[in-house]
């Protein structure tokens, strides 16, 4: 894979932009025998995934001491899994440090075991011993030859991208513990003495100097990392600092091959110990504006570079999580992003190899409704899904701008991403902004704006606190009237493929391959192929072409009717379900849902409709009714005589057949 014209493309297929959608496989999850490697690869293919991210696996790859030396047995397991996935057309992305924990003595300056991964990341930027430790692991992993593919991973086109240190943002990790804080303060004073700097007793000036120190320290090490990795013969695109969406990060990411970030909706919080129950959850819908994912990510995209989200999730037990893949798949398509990777398929092997598993806030393998919903995300983000908006708006930043780490983008810039393409461009001093042709206007976010860089393009003000950007763009004729209403929270994308109404809590996304409608009980919505009269229960209803044809002409369609699922005897502290005290057991229980669905197939086309279980097995046939206008009416009920039904298979029948 290469970066060409700001997009991911295969080297020998110029002009064909790529989209990747997949999931993470974490911790012990990829360390499996050959039988399970084949089964796991089949499952990934059946989702429609074409990318997977190896994550939190680096500790499992190494020996106990030194950890940077590879364990041959564990590496062989991962090698065979990568081979199996490659055979199914599924590519790989990964990071070179995630959570490898070190025994005492492996880093001579550090007292005791280095098991705090945030401390490792902090030390990485300032201690050469930690950098050399990272290099040793990276060299061993990237250059070892996979006996099944006959290639070192660095030479295998299955590896499409690398993030160098996962979530290693220097501002976020430098104060991991007392040792790292003391070390950073010592190095800062050395840095100041070398430059003969004084803060004059001014805390603000001292903080500005410290942020400059952090920036220079990071950029020096980043350049060393890139030089080292390229010296090994790695050719795929490289990135780093893969969390956060701030103007300062946009400046620091300007030299990356691509930008990667992470975003979560209803991420769990914990009442006691981290990652132990009880956990605190938010029972709100992202559509109602309670969560910023995926919208707040949009402004951190850099025009001229691919944009990836290698961790996203709408976490269990939020009752609205089935909506998540549709939201991020649709808006990522509208923005023309390049990669979406859900977090995660599984942490460890038990959650997908053993029956009866209900644990984990994120895992698809223990979350029935979220697992099914990924099919919607895949379809909307596919090449036949939602297409990029035909007009963009760019925030400009001066490359030599002095931006504090805690500066944020105006939230309205992110909201604009529900209508048109948005992003940031870092402009070198004294130059005009090299903007894509479809950028209609530029945005001044109130900091580090490069005067004169916009050329003849109009400049709109989106400084912090301003709330009129979208309306000003409409008034100036750059956006269509009717695409936005501040009072109701209504947004319609350019071209009309996506509509979201926060007050009504409804969402619609229409593409050739997939249509999805999200609505509460008592409301009606329609698309081009689907129309829904929702009677009982909030619902995510989607039709997905299974044969590559447009929905109206498709011979086989997957129909989803998703409400919510929770484990039997899952324990909550109150009926509001905002504190989870116990995971419960299988079977999963579904929330009731009833709706009347109307289909608008091509003239004369009819379907046999089968209710199917969550493995796709046909449970029974459901009768349709044909109206005088040729449309078909289908009753949807989660609870049916032959079982709980969240999915249907529509199979076209030949003309004249019943």
């Amino acid at each position: 894979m290469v970066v060409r014209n700001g997009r991911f493309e295969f080297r020998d297929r110029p002009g064909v932009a790529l989209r990747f959608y997949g999931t993470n496989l974490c911790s012990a999850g990829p360390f499996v025998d050959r039988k399970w490697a084949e089964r796991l690869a089949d499952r990934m293919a059946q989702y429609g995934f074409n990318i997977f991210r190896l994550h939190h696996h680096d500790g499992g790859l190494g020996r106990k001491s030194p950890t940077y030396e590879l364990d041959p047995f564990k590496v062989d397991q991962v090698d065979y899994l990568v081979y199996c996935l490659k055979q199914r057309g599924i590519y790989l992305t990964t990071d070179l440090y995630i959570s490898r924990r070190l025994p005492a003595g492996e880093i001579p300056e550090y007292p005791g075991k280095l098991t705090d991964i945030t401390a490792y990341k902090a030390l990485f930027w300032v201690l050469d011993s930690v950098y050399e430790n990272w290099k040793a692991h990276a060299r061993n992993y990237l250059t070892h030859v996979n006996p099944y593919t006959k290639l070192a991973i660095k030479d295998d086109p299955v590896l499409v991208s690398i993030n160098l240190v996962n979530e290693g943002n220097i501002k976020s990790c430098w104060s991991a513990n007392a040792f790292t804080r003391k070390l950073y303060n010592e190095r800062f004073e050395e840095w100041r003495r070398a430059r003969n700097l004084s803060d004059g007793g001014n805390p603000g000036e001292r903080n500005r100097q410290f942020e400059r120190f952090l920036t220079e320290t990071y950029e020096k090490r980043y350049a060393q990392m890139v030089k080292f990795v390229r010296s090994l013969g790695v050719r795929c695109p490289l990135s780093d600092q893969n969390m956060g969406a701030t103007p300062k990060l946009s400046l620091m990411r300007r030299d990356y091959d691509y930008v990667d970030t992470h975003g979560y909706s209803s991420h769990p919080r914990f009442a006691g110990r981290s990652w132990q129950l009880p956990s605190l959850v938010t029972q709100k819908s992202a559509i109602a504006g309670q969560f910023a994912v995926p919208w707040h990510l949009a402004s951190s995209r850099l025009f001229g570079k691919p944009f990836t989200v290698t961790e996203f999730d709408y976490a269990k037990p939020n009752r609205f999580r089935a909506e998540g893949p549709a939201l991020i798949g649709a808006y990522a398509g509208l923005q023309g992003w390049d990669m979406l990777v859900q977090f995660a398929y599984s942490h460890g092997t038990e959650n997908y190899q053993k029956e009866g598993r209900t644990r984990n806030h994120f895992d698809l393998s223990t979350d029935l409704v979220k697992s099914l919903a990924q099919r919607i995300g895949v379809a909307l983000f596919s090449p036949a899904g939602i297409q990029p908006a035909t007009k963009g708006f760019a925030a400009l930043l001066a490359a030599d701008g002095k931006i504090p780490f805690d500066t944020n983008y105006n939230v309205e810039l992110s909201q604009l991403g529900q209508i048109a393409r948005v992003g940031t461009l870092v402009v070198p001093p004294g130059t005009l902004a090299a903007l894509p042709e479809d950028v209609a206007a530029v945005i001044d976010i109130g900091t580090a704006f490069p005067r004169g860089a916009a050329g003849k393009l109009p400049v709109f003000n989106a400084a912090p606190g301003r709330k009129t950007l979208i309306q000003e763009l409409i008034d100036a004729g750059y956006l269509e009237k009717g695409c936005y209403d501040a009072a109701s929270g209504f947004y319609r994308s350019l071209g009309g493929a996506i509509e979201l109404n926060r007050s009504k809590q409804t969402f619609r996304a229409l593409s050739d391959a997939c249509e999805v409608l999200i609505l509460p009980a008592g409301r009606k919505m329609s698309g081009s192929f689907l129309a829904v009269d929702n009677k009982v229960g909030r619902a995510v209803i989607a039709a997905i072409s299974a044969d590559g044809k447009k929905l109206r002409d498709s011979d086989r369609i997957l129909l989803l009717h998703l409400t919510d699922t929770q484990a039997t005897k899952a324990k909550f502290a109150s009926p509001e379900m905002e504190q989870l005290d116990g995971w419960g057991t299988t079977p999963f229980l579904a929330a009731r849902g009833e709706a009347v669905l109307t289909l608008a197939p091509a003239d004369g086309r009819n379907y046999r409709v089968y209710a199917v279980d969550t493995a796709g097995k046909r449970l029974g046939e459901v009768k349709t009714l044909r109206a005088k206008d040729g449309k078909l009416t289908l009753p949807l009920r989660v609870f049916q005589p032959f079982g709980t039904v969240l999915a249907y298979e529509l199979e076209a029948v030949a003309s004249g057949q019943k």
Side-chain angles (χ1 to χ4, degrees):
M1 192 167 74
V2 298
V3 175
R4 189 184 287 129
N5 298 321
R7 299 297 307 273
F8 285 146
E9 295 182 0
F10 290 132
R11 182 193 62 199
D12 301 328
R13 295 183 187 173
V16 181
L18 303 173
R19 289 185 178 184
F20 293 94
Y21 191 113
T23 191
N24 284 255
L25 190 59
C26 297
S27 305
F31 299 105
V32 292
D33 61 27
R34 294 189 182 184
K35 176 183 175 182
W36 266 107
E38 297 280 359
R39 292 182 68 180
L40 194 56
D42 282 342
R43 289 185 184 181
M44 297 298 101
Q46 288 161 356
Y47 275 98
F49 296 158
N50 63 352
I51 190 80
F52 83 109
R53 180 174 179 238
L54 275 176
H55 196 54
H56 285 300
H57 67 292
D58 50 341
L61 284 174
R63 299 181 186 275
K64 291 184 177 180
S65 180
T67 61
Y68 54 77
E69 290 187 358
L70 302 181
D71 180 318
F73 177 74
K74 293 293 187 68
V75 171
D76 186 77
Q77 289 183 311
V78 174
D79 282 347
Y80 190 73
L81 176 61
V82 169
Y83 165 76
C84 292
L85 290 159
K86 182 179 179 179
Q87 296 302 303
R88 291 154 178 82
I90 301 173
Y91 291 82
L92 165 68
T93 184
T94 194
D95 313 78
L96 296 183
Y97 177 79
I98 308 105
S99 53
R100 185 165 51 92
R101 293 169 169 84
L102 280 54
E106 192 162 324
I107 301 301
E109 299 94 332
Y110 193 77
K113 300 177 181 179
L114 185 48
T115 56
D116 181 345
I117 63 175
T118 305
Y120 183 102
K121 297 170 189 177
L123 297 173
F124 176 82
W125 306 115
V126 293
L127 283 185
D128 287 342
S129 58
V130 181
Y131 175 53
E132 293 299 325
N133 181 278
W134 175 89
K135 284 170 61 179
H137 170 81
R139 180 187 297 109
N140 290 338
Y141 177 67
L142 292 170
T143 62
H144 90 278
V145 175
N146 184 326
Y148 308 105
T149 64
K150 311 300 183 187
L151 293 168
I153 193 66
K154 70 180 181 68
D155 300 319
D156 196 330
V158 77
L159 179 66
V160 294
S161 61
I162 295 175
N163 183 81
L164 298 171
V165 177
N166 178 63
E167 295 189 347
N169 304 38
I170 192 169
K171 181 61 163 60
S172 302
C173 68
W174 74 269
S175 61
N177 59 30
F179 183 89
T180 65
R181 287 191 293 272
K182 180 175 182 294
L183 180 61
Y184 268 77
N185 284 321
E186 291 172 352
R187 293 295 176 89
F188 175 49
E189 293 304 325
E190 293 173 6
W191 178 88
R192 291 211 307 165
R193 286 194 296 270
R195 289 157 180 78
N196 196 28
L197 295 175
S198 171
D199 57 33
N202 183 335
E205 176 59 24
R206 180 180 177 82
N207 185 63
R208 284 188 288 272
Q209 290 178 9
F210 187 70
E211 292 201 345
R212 181 181 160 197
F213 159 71
L214 291 180
T215 302
E216 291 184 8
T217 299
Y218 170 80
E219 290 181 344
K220 178 181 177 181
R221 185 69 88 202
Y222 174 75
Q224 292 174 327
M225 286 194 292
V226 172
K227 183 177 180 181
F228 167 72
V229 171
R230 293 300 185 206
S231 75
L232 299 177
V234 173
R235 292 169 289 178
C236 71
L238 304 177
S239 191
D240 201 45
Q241 293 195 118
N242 56 349
M243 68 173 182
T246 66
K248 175 67 174 180
L249 279 170
S250 293
L251 280 187
M252 298 179 77
R253 289 163 169 166
R254 67 188 183 274
D255 293 326
Y256 301 174
D257 295 327
Y258 67 101
V259 174
D260 181 30
T261 193
H262 299 159
Y264 289 86
S265 180
S266 63
H267 193 290
R269 295 161 289 121
F270 299 94
R273 291 183 60 190
S274 293
W275 303 110
Q276 300 290 327
L277 296 183
S279 66
L280 307 177
V281 297
T282 304
Q283 295 293 355
K284 303 289 185 180
S285 166
I287 292 173
Q290 300 298 322
F291 303 105
V293 176
W295 304 288
H296 88 283
L297 304 177
S299 52
S300 65
R301 176 257 201 91
L302 290 183
F303 282 120
K305 296 181 184 296
F307 186 77
T308 71
V309 183
T310 54
E311 290 183 25
F312 77 85
D313 195 57
Y314 297 73
K316 186 170 72 175
N318 179 280
R319 294 182 291 108
F320 303 87
R321 65 195 183 281
E323 302 168 4
L327 294 176
I328 196 167
Y331 284 110
L334 184 75
Q335 293 301 318
W337 294 350
D338 299 85
M339 184 187 296
L340 298 175
V341 191
Q342 184 272 342
F343 187 88
Y345 178 69
S346 183
H347 288 70
T349 57
E350 293 85 358
N351 281 354
Y352 66 85
Q353 290 188 7
K354 294 184 178 180
E355 299 289 343
R357 302 290 292 189
T358 60
R359 296 174 178 268
N360 201 280
H361 292 283
F362 307 111
D363 288 2
L364 299 183
S365 57
T366 60
D367 191 333
L368 183 62
V369 72
K370 191 163 65 179
S371 179
L372 289 171
Q374 297 306 318
R375 273 74 171 179
I376 304 172
V378 168
L380 290 175
F381 194 60
S382 73
I386 301 295
Q387 299 303 301
T390 57
K391 190 179 293 184
F393 299 90
L396 299 189
L397 296 177
D400 57 356
K402 305 298 187 291
I403 304 178
F405 277 92
D406 60 0
T407 301
N408 291 308
Y409 286 102
N410 185 325
V411 68
E412 237 201 330
L413 184 60
S414 298
Q415 292 171 345
L416 178 59
Q418 294 169 78
I419 301 171
R421 293 171 61 236
V422 299
T424 297
L425 187 70
V426 178
V427 185
T431 65
L432 287 175
L435 290 163
E437 292 182 358
D438 61 3
V439 169
V442 299
I443 311 297
D444 179 354
I445 65 167
T447 184
F449 186 76
R451 300 299 170 187
K456 296 180 180 180
L457 289 175
V459 179
F460 288 82
N461 190 339
R466 289 182 61 90
K467 300 180 180 180
T468 58
L469 174 63
I470 297 176
Q471 190 59 53
E472 288 176 15
L473 290 169
I474 293 172
D475 294 342
Y478 291 99
L479 295 176
E480 302 165 354
K481 292 182 178 180
C483 71
Y484 167 70
D485 179 69
S488 63
F490 172 79
Y491 301 84
R492 183 174 63 237
S493 67
L494 294 176
I498 309 173
E499 285 189 1
L500 181 144
N501 191 310
R502 297 196 185 283
S503 62
K504 294 181 179 179
Q505 295 194 38
T506 59
F507 174 82
R508 179 177 73 179
L510 311 179
S511 74
D512 288 345
C514 173
E515 291 189 10
V516 57
L517 305 174
I518 303 176
L519 66 169
R523 288 202 177 274
K524 299 179 181 180
M525 287 186 73
S526 61
S528 298
F529 180 72
L530 291 180
V532 175
D533 181 359
N534 196 32
K535 303 292 188 180
V536 177
R538 186 169 179 81
V540 179
I541 296 177
I544 303 169
S545 172
D547 58 9
K549 298 178 182 179
K550 293 183 179 181
L551 277 170
R552 294 185 75 245
D553 301 315
S554 178
D555 294 321
R556 197 155 179 259
I557 294 171
L558 170 64
L559 178 67
L560 295 175
H561 177 204
L562 305 180
T563 53
D564 179 34
T565 57
Q566 301 287 345
T568 299
K569 296 184 180 180
K571 185 178 180 182
F572 293 88
S574 71
E576 289 74 29
M577 298 171 65
E578 293 181 339
Q579 177 174 309
L580 177 66
D581 293 334
W583 289 109
T585 63
T586 55
F588 292 101
L589 307 177
R592 182 185 172 202
E594 296 181 10
V596 176
L597 181 69
T598 302
L599 308 176
D603 291 344
R605 178 170 290 258
N606 207 343
Y607 301 99
R608 288 196 180 96
V609 180
Y610 301 96
V612 299
D613 68 13
T614 53
K617 180 182 178 181
R618 292 175 177 176
L619 298 173
E621 190 168 353
V622 180
K623 299 300 182 182
T624 62
L625 297 175
R626 184 175 290 276
K628 292 181 179 179
D629 59 4
K631 295 181 179 179
L632 300 175
T633 300
L634 171 67
L636 302 180
R637 292 191 300 276
V638 169
F639 301 142
Q640 300 202 30
F642 34 66
T644 301
V645 177
L646 301 177
Y648 300 81
E649 176 189 357
L650 277 63
E651 183 181 54
V653 296
S655 179
Q657 284 188 286
K658 293 183 179 180

